[in-house]
Amino acid sequence: TPLTRRETPVVGTTWVSKAATALGWGLSGASIFIFSPIIFRLLTTGDAAGLSIVTWAMQVAGFLGALVVPIRKRYALSSYFDFVCLSAQGIAVLVLITLLQGLAPAPVVALSALSVGAGFLAVVNFAPMWMLAAVQASASFVMIAALIPQIVKNFAHASGGGWSPASALMSTAGNLIRIFTTITLTRDRVLLTQFLSGFLLNGLLLITTLIFP
């Protein structure tokens, strides 16, 4: 997973904790651009053959799932702005892959996108909180597992799969920084496991984009 929810500081205001907090905010800012190289390549080449539709569907599901509780509880936008950016970019990539791979005509894609949006709003506004909490808890696992189909596809075809090395590098570095901020600020074992998994999988994905043509 590229990025995830911001941690709540639990240690004193040392220079280390201040640096960790600053890095966390920096990652939120970087999320605005993390998938833009992939979107640019899809728009300029019209080639989406190497990208896994399963990976991107799971990515979008995970990103949207991470938003349900913050939106329902009306948290400050700054606390989940990264996921808003990731969701928007993920949806853009998913739509482009669907169209470029000829999986569905444009009207069906548009109707599907509207249906997903309406369903998301309905869940956020009307679902019980226990359900939203379960969705949010599942989102982290979904975002991490989402990379597996793309990695498998890359190795199977000895190809980078059209995944941008820049995006993979930013995601790998982002998870590495999140490992540092989690150890420094919260020591949350669940988050630490999530970021370690994200670092390893994104690192593996980065390797495929570098060693395969």
Side-chain angles (χ1 to χ4, degrees):
T1 174
L3 306 171
T4 190
R5 74 177 188 270
R6 188 167 294 106
E7 299 89 350
T8 302
V10 296
V11 297
T13 56
T14 65
W15 71 269
V16 177
S17 63
K18 289 180 179 179
T21 301
L23 285 171
W25 279 104
L27 287 176
S28 294
S31 65
I32 299 173
F33 308 104
I34 198 163
F35 294 135
S36 56
I38 298 176
I39 295 172
F40 179 76
R41 192 194 67 80
L42 289 172
L43 291 173
T44 54
T45 67
D47 180 14
L51 292 171
S52 168
I53 190 74
V54 176
T55 284
W56 285 98
M58 292 177 68
Q59 290 260 48
V60 169
F63 296 152
L64 293 176
L67 288 171
V68 292
V69 170
I71 294 177
R72 175 68 165 269
K73 292 191 173 183
R74 297 184 179 181
Y75 291 162
L77 179 60
S78 59
S79 68
Y80 59 90
F81 179 70
D82 46 356
F83 276 116
V84 173
C85 296
L86 293 170
S87 297
Q89 293 173 81
I91 291 170
V93 173
L94 184 59
V95 167
L96 286 170
I97 293 174
T98 304
L99 293 175
L100 294 175
Q101 292 185 357
L103 299 176
V108 174
V109 174
L111 182 60
S112 299
L114 290 174
S115 299
V116 169
F120 175 76
L121 292 176
V123 169
V124 168
N125 287 287
F126 302 113
M129 274 304 304
W130 66 264
M131 182 181 294
L132 296 186
V135 169
Q136 187 185 45
S138 302
S140 297
F141 171 78
V142 172
M143 285 185 284
I144 293 172
L147 296 177
I148 296 175
Q150 184 68 58
I151 293 171
V152 171
K153 187 172 185 177
N154 286 6
F155 277 107
H157 294 85
S159 166
W163 200 283
S164 166
S167 295
L169 177 60
M170 285 190 285
S171 297
T172 303
N175 277 282
L176 182 60
I177 292 172
R178 283 301 192 191
I179 292 171
F180 167 70
T181 59
T182 301
I183 293 173
T184 303
L185 299 176
T186 67
R187 305 185 185 94
D188 187 307
R189 293 183 179 180
V190 175
L191 284 177
L192 188 58
T193 301
Q194 174 185 327
F195 296 137
L196 283 169
S197 301
F199 171 73
L200 293 174
L201 288 173
N202 277 287
L204 192 56
L205 187 59
L206 174 61
I207 291 172
T208 67
T209 66
L210 297 176
I211 65 175
F212 296 133

